[in-house]
Amino acid sequence: MTRTFLIAASALAMTAAAAHAEYKLTILHTNDFHARFEPISKYDSGCSEEDNAAGECFGGSARLVTAVEEARARAENPVLFDGGDQFQGTLFYTYYKGQVAAEFMNKLGYDAMTVGNHEFDDGPEVLRGFIDTVEFPVLMSNADVSGEPQLADVIQKSTIIERGGEKLGLIGLTPQDTDELASPGKNIIFTDPADAVAAEVAKLEAEGVNKIIVLSHSGYGVDQEVAEKVPQIDVIVGGHSNTLLSNTSDRAAGPYPTMVGTTAIVQAYAYGKFLGELNVTFDDDGNIVEAMGEPLIMDGNVVEDEATVARIKELAGPLDEIRNKIVAESADAIDGARETCRAGECAMGNLVADAMLARVADQGVDIAIQNGGGLRASIDAGEVTMGEVLTVLPFQNTLATFQLKGADVIAALENGVSQIEEGAGRFPQVAGLSFKFDAAAEPGSRISDVMVMKDGAASPIDPDATYGVVSNNYMRSGGDGYKVFAEAAMNAYDYGPGLEVVVADYLAENAPYTPYTDGRIAAK
């Protein structure tokens, strides 16, 4: 049964007169689309035309076009927002950068979006090109961009749009640690989300706006904290944590909407698998009287818009030769799901870390560490294409080799598990070593029993010894909080082969590949 949130009239001090001036708003929303313009499988990776025709695929821009059109037709005052991370994830982004995202967001008629961390993956210049192309405001309140020439005059902290004769105040949020997660450069200063939002709320209220909506690419947990600290917010449209909020799914992290005080928080998983639909009723003072809805599954029952299908097929032409190349075979599905690879050992983490270590084992390297957030999809059983490998590893990272003291390896692992409760992407997938962690302990003291493999035997890590390490160039430069790699690495070389090539070669050498876990990472 759909959950309805009703605020008691007494709690809102709603007068009888106000009840006659109710304003209804339908908020349609997406988040963390990650260039999934084509339909995807249940594993969030590519889906064949045959499976799509059989109704076994999800999402894709052509389904969203249909679903948004139908939702607008039944709504009184519809708006369409995005919670960030349109960039990165498939060959469409690798080849076209932000051009295709801009084209389809314009076609869908978005009213606003916030900046996600992945919008900075190729620096401010690519983001600027995207902003110049889209026909709606791109928002980010918690960053000072005045020192970045590419963005200083194009990103707004907040804006006001009108719908049905009412003013809606929109505020954008991006992760405060975007400088660790992407490549924004040194000219942008990221700040506390609650403080930034509070400042924009005050500004909007001073302009007579009493309906405040935050578009937040900050994660479900941060959104709840911001709602507590800034109770004037009416709705938070979330992203970043790929959270499914629902009143019907047993996989949901919370109800849709999740209420914090009188603030309604929504998020619709990721990859275009759902279109969020929140129906909100306000009184004439801008107080929420009712908030109800549910993410709509973009499954085979949603008819694809034919013109959009044709356009995507045209855009896919240059990509097909690359991604359709069969590189290997897998005996079973390789689990690369976000919820497993950011919380513990996962089969995809073992594959990627094993492949990294095997590639450089003859260079005196003992240990491989790969961030779980760098693994973006699973691979199903059967033939494995280069396109599937690129969907798992879309970031064009290269192998980076260096040396670290044992104490610094332990520090790196501590960083890796320091935000496990938030599902952060820094969780370490490893090869050549094993470790245990206690998520209940204080960050910085969660790691124990670190063992390093040498000549087939495991021995406790020596804090004073020097070990050869392989990672990716993003982590080596301090990404995902791995500052110890940037500051303590010795004899570093960051320009090895592409990680996707390393993994594809390893799969081919071990075909048919059998995915596995072996207990190398264990929770205490």
Side-chain angles (χ1 to χ4, degrees):
M1 179 176 291
T2 301
R3 177 181 180 269
T4 304
F5 170 69
L6 295 171
I7 301 176
S10 59
L12 288 176
M14 187 176 75
T15 65
H20 296 297
E22 288 182 344
Y23 170 73
K24 295 185 182 296
L25 179 71
T26 296
I27 298 174
L28 307 173
H29 60 98
T30 56
N31 59 276
D32 300 277
F33 189 71
H34 287 300
R36 298 305 205 274
F37 306 106
E38 295 177 312
I40 58 175
S41 71
K42 65 181 179 180
Y43 298 106
D44 300 333
S45 59
C47 203
S48 69
E49 289 188 20
E50 293 78 11
D51 286 345
N52 194 39
E56 297 176 6
C57 301
F58 302 84
S61 295
R63 285 193 176 92
L64 279 177
V65 167
T66 299
V68 168
E69 182 180 341
E70 292 176 349
R72 284 191 174 119
R74 63 176 173 263
E76 192 170 331
N77 294 302
V79 289
L80 177 60
F81 300 136
D82 186 73
D85 272 9
Q86 280 282 327
F87 285 16
Q88 199 63 268
T90 69
L91 273 178
F92 280 95
Y93 179 78
T94 305
Y95 191 83
Y96 293 105
K97 298 306 177 187
Q99 296 176 26
V100 180
E103 176 179 338
F104 285 112
M105 292 188 83
N106 285 340
K107 180 175 181 129
L108 283 158
Y110 278 85
D111 291 288
M113 74 173 285
T114 190
V115 179
N117 53 288
H118 284 290
E119 268 70 74
F120 284 108
D121 277 356
D122 286 285
E125 184 175 357
V126 170
L127 176 55
R128 173 62 185 260
F130 171 81
I131 294 172
D132 285 345
T133 306
V134 297
E135 299 164 355
F136 51 83
V138 178
L139 308 172
M140 181 171 61
S141 66
N142 63 319
D144 179 355
V145 297
S146 60
E148 174 46 64
Q150 292 284 352
L151 301 176
D153 59 342
V154 295
I155 290 184
Q156 305 172 64
K157 292 179 180 290
S158 63
T159 193
I160 300 171
I161 66 171
E162 290 196 9
R163 191 65 87 246
E166 292 287 327
K167 292 181 178 180
L168 307 175
L170 309 179
I171 303 169
L173 270 184
T174 201
Q176 189 173 356
D177 58 349
T178 291
D179 57 339
E180 296 182 356
L181 301 175
S183 303
K186 299 183 182 299
N187 297 329
I188 302 174
I189 301 169
F190 297 91
T191 61
D192 179 79
D195 291 346
V197 169
E200 294 307 302
V201 167
K203 174 183 169 185
L204 292 167
E205 289 183 333
E207 296 182 43
V209 178
N210 63 7
K211 300 172 186 67
I212 307 292
I213 300 168
V214 174
L215 311 182
S216 171
H217 192 79
S218 299
Y220 186 45
V222 172
D223 289 345
Q224 293 174 79
E225 293 172 10
V226 171
E228 283 186 11
K229 294 177 179 177
V230 192
Q232 302 98 314
I233 301 167
D234 294 300
V235 179
I236 298 179
V237 175
H240 190 49
S241 52
N242 294 26
T243 303
L244 175 62
L245 299 178
S246 170
N247 309 307
T248 60
S249 172
D250 58 5
R251 299 182 63 184
Y256 184 101
T258 294
M259 300 304 304
V260 175
T262 58
T263 303
I265 300 172
V266 293
Q267 196 174 149
Y269 183 56
Y271 312 125
K273 227 170 199 175
F274 296 87
L275 173 66
E277 181 176 347
L278 179 69
N279 299 294
V280 187
T281 303
F282 296 90
D283 66 20
D284 63 353
D285 293 322
N287 299 311
I288 294 180
V289 177
E290 181 180 75
M292 60 181 292
E294 182 71 15
L296 309 174
I297 183 74
M298 297 293 100
D299 61 14
N301 293 315
V302 180
V303 178
E304 293 178 288
D305 175 70
E306 291 185 7
T308 306
V309 171
R311 176 58 177 153
I312 292 170
K313 191 168 186 177
E314 179 185 4
L315 291 165
L319 316 180
D320 285 342
E321 183 178 351
I322 303 169
R323 63 182 180 180
N324 291 335
K325 180 182 178 183
I326 297 169
V327 296
E329 181 180 348
S330 182
D332 204 348
I334 310 171
D335 177 22
R338 177 191 183 100
E339 56 265 28
T340 49
C341 293
R342 296 182 180 213
E345 179 187 2
C346 70
M348 187 67 73
N350 286 358
L351 164 62
V352 173
D354 287 351
M356 295 164 71
L357 188 57
R359 187 66 165 238
V360 294
D362 61 353
Q363 299 176 27
V365 174
D366 312 296
I367 295 165
I369 303 178
Q370 160 71 25
N371 56 327
L375 311 176
R376 308 305 285 192
S378 301
I379 292 176
D380 54 6
E383 291 180 343
V384 179
T385 65
M386 193 64 201
E388 287 180 294
V389 176
L390 283 161
T391 301
V392 175
L393 301 164
F395 299 114
Q396 298 175 284
N397 291 139
T398 56
L399 285 199
T401 54
F402 49 98
Q403 292 175 313
L404 274 184
K405 292 291 187 182
D408 293 324
V409 173
I410 296 170
L413 298 175
E414 288 284 5
N415 170 70
V417 300
S418 64
Q419 297 180 5
I420 188 171
E421 52 271 89
E422 301 171 23
R426 62 187 61 192
F427 189 91
Q429 299 293 328
V430 300
L433 61 73
S434 62
F435 66 89
K436 295 180 181 178
F437 69 93
D438 182 359
E442 285 294 313
S445 59
R446 293 178 169 178
I447 294 292
S448 65
D449 301 283
V450 181
M451 305 289 287
V452 179
M453 294 295 298
K454 196 83 168 176
D455 300 323
S459 58
I461 194 167
D462 181 351
D464 296 319
T466 299
Y467 296 90
V469 179
V470 61
S471 188
N472 61 65
N473 63 312
Y474 164 71
M475 295 171 68
R476 227 291 294 162
S477 63
D480 262 344
Y482 283 89
K483 293 180 180 177
V484 67
F485 286 178
E487 296 170 355
M490 299 171 282
N491 301 315
Y493 182 76
D494 300 329
Y495 311 105
L499 185 53
E500 73 281 1
V501 173
V502 170
V503 172
D505 289 349
Y506 185 81
L507 282 167
E509 292 163 6
N510 292 277
Y513 178 77
T514 301
Y516 72 100
T517 57
D518 58 8
R520 63 184 68 177
I521 302 173
K524 293 185 70 174

